[in-house]
Amino acid sequence: MSALGETLQAVARVLDAKELRWFVFGAQAVAVRAAPRATQDVDITVEVDRGRLAALASELERAGLRHRYPDIADELLRSGAVLPMQHESGMELDLVLAGPGLEALALDRAERLSIDGVHVPVAHATDLIVMKVLAGRGKDQDDVRALIATGEADLGEVRNLLEQLESALGQSDLLPLFESAVADVEG
């Protein structure tokens, strides 16, 4: 099994045993839903009470994952939104703590798919597009186009979510980025 498969298997064993809601997002989710692309890490969002986070981190350590930055691990456990970890195989993992809003929607819509032979919850294409538009890098726009091309995403829902985010964030650049990607795919 590859480093990715070993990492996902270890994480799934811990998170599923604790009956936590979680999902894979980022490049690994895009790779399974649309188009493979090179990446050296895996991004996971998990819904967990901050009071249970230290215990979860300990369980993950017993499963072969360790903090990438041990000097600040305690601080990240107390107040961080992301726990940067690394599996003993060498695969890096960013464990993102779920918040309300978009992440809660994504938790509800995630579905189990096979990534490297391991069945894990993966963010839906609709939610991945919104996340990728928010990230806004060139490679994210490539991912948005690949996800649109699959036909799996609800483009109306993407527009609705991006409108809400623009309003909440005081931005006006999210919908144009998305519409540009739609035009590229359809045109």
Side-chain angles (χ1 to χ4, degrees):
M1 183 175 282
S2 73
L4 173 61
E6 289 178 24
T7 304
L8 289 174
Q9 191 171 59
V11 170
R13 195 172 17 248
V14 171
L15 299 182
D16 289 345
K18 291 191 160 294
E19 298 181 352
L20 296 172
R21 294 188 332 146
W22 63 286
F23 61 84
V24 175
F25 69 102
Q28 298 296 348
V30 173
V32 74
R33 288 208 174 269
R37 94 167 151 81
T39 185
Q40 298 302 314
D41 70 346
V42 62
D43 300 304
I44 291 175
T45 294
V46 62
E47 184 178 59
V48 61
D49 295 331
R50 180 142 323 256
R52 295 177 57 201
L53 189 55
L56 176 60
S58 293
E59 290 275 336
L60 290 167
E61 284 183 41
R62 284 191 288 281
L65 290 122
R66 66 182 185 282
H67 295 279
R68 286 200 318 257
Y69 309 107
D71 294 346
I72 61 170
D74 289 339
E75 181 181 333
L76 291 173
L77 287 169
R78 273 192 312 277
S79 60
V82 179
L83 294 181
M85 304 187 89
Q86 184 169 7
H87 186 260
E88 58 195 19
S89 67
M91 177 64 64
E92 292 185 353
L93 165 80
D94 285 332
L95 190 69
V96 177
L97 304 182
L102 180 59
E103 291 165 336
L105 284 173
L107 284 162
D108 289 341
R109 286 195 274 236
E111 59 186 333
R112 293 229 173 219
L113 299 174
S114 179
I115 298 179
D116 203 27
V118 183
H119 283 78
V120 295
V122 177
H124 190 274
T126 300
D127 302 311
L128 284 171
I129 289 173
V130 173
M131 292 173 201
K132 291 293 185 172
V133 169
L134 276 168
R137 301 166 298 186
K139 62 185 172 182
D140 294 309
Q141 277 299 99
D142 292 341
D143 290 343
V144 169
R145 286 188 287 275
L147 288 160
I148 291 168
T150 68
E152 289 183 21
D154 179 336
L155 302 186
E157 176 71 4
V158 171
R159 286 181 181 97
N160 179 40
L161 289 169
L162 290 174
E163 285 174 4
Q164 290 179 48
L165 286 167
E166 280 184 339
S167 177
L169 299 172
Q171 290 181 237
S172 60
D173 58 339
L174 301 177
L175 271 171
L177 278 173
F178 171 66
E179 295 301 348
S180 173
V182 170
D184 288 347
V185 172
E186 293 178 350

Coordinates of all heavy atoms in Angstrom, one line a residue, residues 130 133 155-172 174-176 178-179:
V130 N -16.4 25.3 -4.3 CA -16.4 26.5 -3.4 C -15.1 26.7 -2.7 O -14.5 27.8 -2.6 CB -17.6 26.5 -2.4 CG1 -17.6 27.6 -1.5 CG2 -18.9 26.5 -3.2
V133 N -12.4 27.8 -5.2 CA -12.6 29.2 -5.5 C -12.1 30.1 -4.4 O -11.4 31.1 -4.6 CB -14.0 29.6 -5.9 CG1 -14.3 31.1 -6.0 CG2 -14.4 28.8 -7.2
L155 N -24.1 23.6 -9.9 CA -23.5 24.9 -10.2 C -24.4 26.0 -9.6 O -23.9 27.0 -9.2 CB -23.3 25.1 -11.7 CG -22.4 24.0 -12.4 CD1 -22.1 24.4 -13.8 CD2 -21.1 23.9 -11.6
G156 N -25.7 25.8 -9.6 CA -26.6 26.8 -8.9 C -26.3 26.9 -7.4 O -26.2 28.0 -6.9
E157 N -26.1 25.8 -6.8 CA -25.7 25.8 -5.4 C -24.3 26.4 -5.2 O -24.1 27.2 -4.2 CB -25.7 24.4 -4.8 CG -25.3 24.2 -3.4 CD -26.2 24.8 -2.3 OE1 -27.3 25.2 -2.7 OE2 -25.9 24.8 -1.2
V158 N -23.4 26.2 -6.1 CA -22.1 26.8 -6.0 C -22.3 28.3 -6.1 O -21.7 29.1 -5.2 CB -21.1 26.4 -7.1 CG1 -19.9 27.2 -7.1 CG2 -20.8 24.9 -7.0
R159 N -23.1 28.8 -7.0 CA -23.3 30.3 -7.1 C -23.9 30.8 -5.9 O -23.5 31.9 -5.4 CB -24.2 30.6 -8.3 CG -23.5 30.4 -9.7 CD -24.4 30.7 -10.8 NE -23.7 30.5 -12.1 CZ -23.8 29.4 -12.8 NH1 -24.6 28.4 -12.5 NH2 -23.1 29.3 -13.9
N160 N -24.9 30.1 -5.3 CA -25.6 30.6 -4.1 C -24.6 30.7 -2.9 O -24.5 31.7 -2.2 CB -26.7 29.6 -3.8 CG -27.4 30.0 -2.5 OD1 -27.7 31.2 -2.2 ND2 -27.8 29.0 -1.7
L161 N -23.8 29.7 -2.8 CA -22.8 29.7 -1.7 C -21.7 30.8 -1.9 O -21.4 31.5 -0.9 CB -22.1 28.3 -1.6 CG -23.0 27.2 -1.0 CD1 -22.3 25.8 -1.2 CD2 -23.3 27.4 0.4
L162 N -21.3 31.0 -3.1 CA -20.3 32.0 -3.3 C -20.9 33.4 -3.1 O -20.2 34.3 -2.6 CB -19.7 31.9 -4.8 CG -18.8 30.6 -5.0 CD1 -18.4 30.5 -6.4 CD2 -17.6 30.7 -4.1
E163 N -22.1 33.6 -3.5 CA -22.8 34.9 -3.2 C -22.9 35.1 -1.7 O -22.6 36.3 -1.3 CB -24.2 34.9 -3.8 CG -24.3 35.0 -5.3 CD -25.7 34.9 -5.8 OE1 -26.7 34.7 -5.0 OE2 -25.9 34.9 -7.1
Q164 N -23.2 34.1 -0.9 CA -23.3 34.3 0.5 C -21.9 34.6 1.1 O -21.8 35.4 2.0 CB -23.8 33.0 1.2 CG -25.3 32.8 0.9 CD -25.8 31.5 1.5 OE1 -25.5 31.2 2.7 NE2 -26.5 30.6 0.8
L165 N -20.9 33.9 0.6 CA -19.5 34.1 1.0 C -19.0 35.5 0.7 O -18.4 36.2 1.5 CB -18.6 33.1 0.5 CG -18.7 31.7 1.1 CD1 -18.0 30.6 0.3 CD2 -18.2 31.7 2.6
E166 N -19.3 36.0 -0.5 CA -18.9 37.3 -0.9 C -19.6 38.4 0.0 O -18.9 39.3 0.5 CB -19.4 37.6 -2.4 CG -18.5 37.0 -3.4 CD -18.8 37.4 -4.8 OE1 -20.0 37.8 -5.1 OE2 -18.0 37.4 -5.7
S167 N -20.8 38.2 0.3 CA -21.5 39.1 1.2 C -20.9 39.0 2.6 O -20.6 40.1 3.2 CB -23.0 38.7 1.3 OG -23.7 39.5 2.2
A168 N -20.7 37.9 3.1 CA -20.1 37.7 4.5 C -18.7 38.2 4.6 O -18.3 38.8 5.6 CB -20.2 36.3 4.9
L169 N -17.9 38.0 3.5 CA -16.5 38.4 3.6 C -16.2 39.8 3.0 O -15.1 40.3 3.1 CB -15.7 37.4 2.7 CG -15.7 36.0 3.2 CD1 -15.0 35.1 2.3 CD2 -15.0 35.9 4.6
G170 N -17.3 40.5 2.5 CA -17.1 41.8 1.9 C -16.2 41.7 0.6 O -15.5 42.6 0.4
Q171 N -16.4 40.7 -0.1 CA -15.6 40.5 -1.4 C -16.5 40.5 -2.6 O -17.7 40.3 -2.4 CB -14.8 39.1 -1.3 CG -13.7 39.0 -0.4 CD -13.0 37.7 -0.4 OE1 -12.9 37.0 0.6 NE2 -12.5 37.3 -1.6
S172 N -15.9 40.7 -3.7 CA -16.7 40.6 -5.0 C -16.0 39.9 -6.1 O -16.3 40.0 -7.2 CB -17.1 42.1 -5.4 OG -15.9 42.8 -5.7
L174 N -15.2 36.4 -5.9 CA -15.4 34.9 -6.0 C -16.3 34.4 -7.1 O -15.9 33.5 -7.9 CB -16.0 34.4 -4.6 CG -15.2 34.8 -3.4 CD1 -16.0 34.3 -2.1 CD2 -13.8 34.1 -3.4
L175 N -17.4 35.1 -7.3 CA -18.3 34.7 -8.4 C -17.6 34.9 -9.8 O -17.7 34.0 -10.6 CB -19.6 35.4 -8.4 CG -20.7 34.8 -7.5 CD1 -21.9 35.7 -7.4 CD2 -21.1 33.4 -8.2
P176 N -16.9 36.0 -10.0 CA -16.2 36.1 -11.3 C -15.2 35.0 -11.6 O -15.1 34.6 -12.7 CB -15.6 37.5 -11.2 CG -16.4 38.3 -10.3 CD -16.9 37.3 -9.3
F178 N -15.4 32.0 -10.5 CA -16.1 30.8 -10.8 C -16.7 30.9 -12.2 O -16.6 29.9 -13.0 CB -17.3 30.6 -9.7 CG -18.2 29.5 -10.1 CD1 -17.8 28.2 -10.1 CD2 -19.5 29.8 -10.4 CE1 -18.7 27.2 -10.5 CE2 -20.4 28.8 -10.8 CZ -20.0 27.5 -10.8
E179 N -17.3 32.0 -12.5 CA -17.9 32.1 -13.8 C -16.9 32.0 -15.0 O -17.2 31.5 -16.0 CB -18.7 33.4 -13.9 CG -19.9 33.5 -13.0 CD -21.0 32.4 -13.2 OE1 -21.0 31.7 -14.2 OE2 -21.9 32.3 -12.3

